[in-house]
C-alpha cells in the first residue's frame, strides 16, 4: 500500500467509524444471549468461595482474594491488571456472647464492624429499651448513661431494598448516639427480614471524638425476646464482645479490555471484601463473578469496545467504603464516563436505572430496550445512586448505571452465616451476567456524553 493509504488505514484503525445504533443494539442482543447461554460466573463464584473463603477487609484472606482476582482477570484475557493499596483500620472480631441475667436465655449476637470492646468478663448492666432510633435520639442522657441500649425497629421485605435505607441508621448511627449519651454498650435488632437464629453484622460509625463502645446485633428472635422482656419490667444483660482495631492495609484490583479510542473509561465491578461470618457469596462474591463474567463474554466475542471497559474489584467496602473513596481519589483525573456496581446479591436484575448527562439518555433507553427480553424494566427519573462503591466516582461526575437486583430475599441472607453458595440460583446469576454484558458493551461502544459534570 502507498504511504497515503497506509496513513488512511492507520487513522481508520485508530478511530473506527461508530456503528449505527441498530447494529450496536443487534450486537448487544447477541452478546446478551451468548452470556445467558453460557458464561463463567458460576465456576468463578464457586472457585472464589471455596478456594479463598470469607474475606474481611485488611486480613490475609482479603489479600488472597486479590491474588485470586488478578489470576482470574489474566485467565479471562483482561490486561493492565493493577493492585492499588490504601490504608485502613483493621477491625477484627473477638469473643462474643450475651445472656439475660436471671434466666437461661443466651442471646445470639454478632459484633458490628468498627465497634469497641467490653472487658473480657463482659459488661453486666440494665437494658434501656427504645422502639426506634428517633426515641433514642430524643431520650435524656440520664435514661441511657451506664446502660446497655437496645434499639428496635421494623425492617420490611421490599423488592428494591428500600427498607434497608430507611432502617440503616439504626446500625450506622445508633451506637454512636448511644455512646454520646454515656451508654455502656449497644444491642440492635439485626437489619434483616428472616426469623432464623442468625444475627446480621455490618459496619457502624463512631465519628472522631466519640470513643467506640461495644455494639452488637441480635438475631431477630432474640430481639423479639428482649422487646417482650422490656415490656414486662427491668431487664439486665451480660454482654461480652472483644474486637480489636489496629492499622492495616487493603487494596483495589482492576483489569481492562482496552477501547479502540483511548481516553474514555466505563467501569463495572463489585467488592472483594466480605464479612467473616458467612461465605461472602451474596455480598459480594456474586458481584465479582457477575462483572468478571460479563467482561469475559465481551472479551471472548472478539468485538473490541470503543471505550475502555475496566473491571474494578474494590477492597474494604464493608468497613467504611474505604476502597471506593481511595479509588475515586486516585483516579479523579481520568475520564470515567460511566460506572456501575453489582452489589445486591445474586438474584435477577429487574430494573435498570441511571444518572447520566441528558445527551446520554437515548443510550440508556437503548440499553433498556436490549435488556427488556430479560424481564428488566426501565426505572424513570435519571436519579440513580449506583452501588455503594460507585458513589465517590459519581460525586466526581461519572455517569451512573445501576442494574437493580431483586432484593426480596436479600435481607434474609445479608451479612449472616447463611450467606452461602447453596443459596445461589444459577439461572438468576446468568441473567445478571447477560444484563451486564449487553449494557456495558452498549455503553462502551457508544460516544454520547454520559458524565454529569
Ligand atoms: Zn456489599
Ligand atoms: Zn455488605
Amino acid at each position: 500500500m502507498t504511504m497515503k493509504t497506509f496513513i488512511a488505514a492507520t487513522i481508520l484503525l485508530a478511530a473506527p467509524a461508530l456503528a449505527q445504533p441498530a447494529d450496536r443494539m443487534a450486537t448487544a442482543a447477541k452478546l446478551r444471549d451468548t452470556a445467558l447461554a453460557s458464561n463463567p460466573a458460576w465456576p468463578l463464584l464457586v472457585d472464589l468461595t471455596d478456594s479463598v473463603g470469607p474475606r474481611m477487609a485488611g486480613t490475609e484472606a482479603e489479600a488472597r482474594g486479590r491474588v485470586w482476582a488478578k489470576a482470574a482477570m489474566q485467565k479471562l484475557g483482561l490486561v493492565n491488571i493493577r493492585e492499588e493499596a490504601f490504608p485502613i483500620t483493621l477491625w477484627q472480631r473477638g469473643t462474643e456472647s450475651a445472656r439475660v441475667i436471671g434466666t437461661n436465655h443466651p442471646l445470639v449476637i454478632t459484633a458490628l464492624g468498627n465497634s469497641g470492646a467490653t472487658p473480657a468478663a463482659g459488661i453486666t448492666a440494665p437494658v434501656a429499651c427504645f422502639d426506634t432510633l428517633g426515641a433514642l435520639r430524643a431520650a435524656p442522657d440520664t435514661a441511657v448513661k451506664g446502660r446497655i441500649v437496645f434499639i428496635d425497629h421494623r425492617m420490611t421485605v421490599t423488592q428494591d431494598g428500600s427498607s434497608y435505607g430507611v432502617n440503616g441508621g439504626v446500625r450506622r448511627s445508633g451506637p454512636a448516639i448511644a455512646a454520646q449519651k454515656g451508654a455502656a454498650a449497644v444491642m440492635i435488632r439485626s437489619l434483616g427480614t428472616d426469623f432464623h437464629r442468625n444475627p446480621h453484622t455490618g459496619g457502624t460509625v463512631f465519628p472522631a471524638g466519640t470513643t467506640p463502645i461495644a455494639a452488637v446485633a441480635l438475631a431477630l428472635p432474640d430481639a423479639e425476646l428482649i422487646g417482650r422482656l422490656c415490656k414486662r419490667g427491668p431487664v439486665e444483660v451480660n454482654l461480652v464482645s472483644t474486637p480489636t482495631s489496629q492499622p492495616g492495609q487493603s487494596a483495589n484490583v482492576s483489569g481492562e479490555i482496552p477501547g479502540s479510542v483511548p481516553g474514555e473509561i466505563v467501569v463495572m465491578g463489585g467488592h472483594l471484601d466480605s464479612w467473616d461470618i458467612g461465605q461472602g457469596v451474596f455480598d459480594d462474591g456474586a458481584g465479582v463473578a457477575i462483572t468478571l463474567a460479563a467482561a469475559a463474554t465481551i472479551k471472548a466475542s472478539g468485538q473490541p469496545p470503543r471505550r475502555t471497559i475496566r473491571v474494578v474489584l474494590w477492597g474494604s467496602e464493608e468497613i467504611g467504603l474505604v476502597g471506593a473513596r481511595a479509588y475515586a481519589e486516585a483516579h479523579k483525573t481520568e475520564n470515567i464516563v460511566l460506572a456501575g456496581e453489582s452489589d445486591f446479591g445474586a438474584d435477577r436484575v429487574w430494573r435498570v436505572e441511571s444518572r447520566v448527562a441528558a445527551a446520554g439518555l437515548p443510550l440508556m433507553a437503548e440499553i433498556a430496550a436490549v435488556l427488556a427480553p430479560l424481564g428488566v424494566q426501565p426505572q424513570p427519573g435519571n436519579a440513580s445512586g449506583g452501588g455503594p462503591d460507585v458513589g465517590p466516582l459519581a460525586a466526581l461526575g461519572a455517569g451512573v448505571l445501576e442494574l437493580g437486583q431483586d432484593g426480596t430475599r436479600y435481607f434474609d441472607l445479608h451479612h449472616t452465616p447463611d450467606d452461602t453458595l447453596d443459596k445461589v440460583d444459577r439461572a438468576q446469576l446468568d441473567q445478571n451476567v447477560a444484563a451486564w454484558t449487553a449494557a456495558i458493551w452498549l455503553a462502551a461502544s457508544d460516544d454520547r456524553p454520559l458524565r454529569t459534570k
Side-chain angles (χ1 to χ4, degrees):
M1 75 175 63
T2 65
M3 184 52 79
K4 204 170 163 187
T5 54
F6 173 77
I7 290 167
T10 308
I11 289 167
L12 270 177
L13 271 178
L18 206 57
Q20 291 301 307
D23 296 340
R24 293 203 302 277
M25 287 173 72
T27 304
K30 208 171 147 192
L31 282 166
R32 175 198 68 207
D33 296 342
T34 300
L36 201 57
S38 174
N39 72 75
W42 175 250
L44 283 166
L45 186 53
V46 173
D47 193 42
L48 173 62
T49 304
D50 293 351
S51 73
V52 178
R55 306 166 294 280
M56 273 291 278
T59 63
E60 60 77 32
E62 195 199 25
R64 279 190 287 107
R66 292 193 292 275
V67 172
W68 177 91
K70 288 186 287 185
M73 285 176 171
Q74 194 154 28
K75 207 168 151 191
L76 298 172
L78 304 193
V79 297
N80 302 332
I81 297 167
R82 294 179 69 180
E83 178 172 334
E84 298 168 83
F86 52 86
I88 64 162
T89 299
L90 170 60
W91 180 89
Q92 289 181 291
R93 190 177 303 285
T95 301
E96 47 197 33
S97 67
R99 63 192 171 89
V100 178
I101 303 296
T103 73
N104 287 325
H105 283 301
L107 300 171
V108 177
I109 63 165
T110 183
L112 301 180
N114 296 322
S115 61
T118 65
I123 290 168
T124 301
V127 178
C129 305
F130 298 96
D131 286 340
T132 62
L133 183 61
L136 170 64
R137 274 187 213 279
D141 292 3
T142 49
V144 171
K145 202 167 170 49
R147 293 169 185 257
I148 297 174
V149 162
F150 169 62
I151 317 168
D152 213 346
H153 61 97
R154 284 287 180 274
M155 191 167 156
T156 52
V157 174
T158 50
Q159 191 174 14
D160 64 1
S162 53
S163 189
Y164 186 61
V166 172
N167 291 289
V170 169
R171 192 192 73 213
R172 283 189 287 272
S173 315
I177 292 167
Q180 286 155 7
K181 290 176 185 283
V186 176
M187 306 188 296
I188 66 163
R189 173 189 286 255
S190 283
L191 292 178
T193 48
D194 63 297
F195 278 83
H196 292 197
R197 205 88 188 264
N198 284 332
H200 297 237
T201 189
T204 191
V205 180
F206 290 93
T210 300
T211 304
I213 57 174
V216 303
L218 297 174
L220 264 63
D222 300 272
E224 292 276 319
L225 170 69
I226 294 294
R228 292 196 302 274
L229 293 177
C230 286
K231 289 187 175 64
R232 289 173 76 105
V235 189
E236 205 177 10
V237 160
N238 172 265
L239 174 69
V240 178
S241 178
T242 58
T244 56
S245 293
Q246 63 194 90
Q249 186 175 284
S250 178
N252 299 313
V253 174
S254 61
E256 294 180 341
I257 304 173
S260 56
V261 179
E264 295 182 19
I265 300 152
V266 172
V267 163
M268 68 170 158
H271 64 84
L272 258 179
D273 68 307
S274 77
W275 288 102
D276 49 347
I277 60 177
Q279 294 176 350
V281 173
F282 266 61
D283 192 7
D284 185 27
V288 169
I290 287 165
T291 52
L292 281 175
T297 305
I298 293 169
K299 176 70 190 170
S301 75
Q303 314 233 27
R306 180 183 171 279
R307 292 164 163 158
T308 293
I309 295 172
R310 183 183 293 164
V311 178
V312 180
L313 305 178
W314 288 275
S316 195
E317 188 273 345
E318 300 290 6
I319 300 280
L321 216 58
V322 191
R325 293 201 183 94
Y327 193 85
E329 176 61 27
H331 295 266
K332 63 185 175 189
T333 59
E334 280 186 332
N335 188 13
I336 296 175
V337 296
L338 189 72
E341 181 177 24
S342 170
D343 183 22
F344 205 58
D347 285 345
R348 73 182 182 94
V349 176
W350 68 289
R351 64 183 191 179
V352 51
E353 302 176 60
S354 66
R355 187 169 81 224
V356 297
L361 287 173
L363 168 61
M364 293 301 133
E366 289 166 19
I367 288 175
V370 173
L371 302 194
L374 297 171
V376 179
Q377 310 157 15
Q379 170 76 7
N382 199 37
S384 167
D389 290 302
V390 159
L393 287 174
L396 295 174
V400 170
L401 173 74
E402 184 169 349
L403 300 186
Q405 291 170 269
D406 188 335
T408 307
R409 66 173 181 144
Y410 186 57
F411 292 103
D412 291 351
L413 308 172
H414 181 251
H415 296 184
T416 74
D418 255 359
D419 179 355
T420 54
L421 190 70
D422 53 286
K423 309 299 187 302
V424 175
D425 174 339
R426 285 186 63 176
Q428 295 193 62
L429 184 73
D430 289 343
Q431 187 260 15
N432 274 270
V433 181
W436 279 101
T437 301
I440 290 296
W441 190 85
L442 258 183
S445 69
D446 209 88
D447 66 352
R448 282 167 278 190
L450 297 169
R451 285 185 67 91
T452 56
K453 61 182 175 193

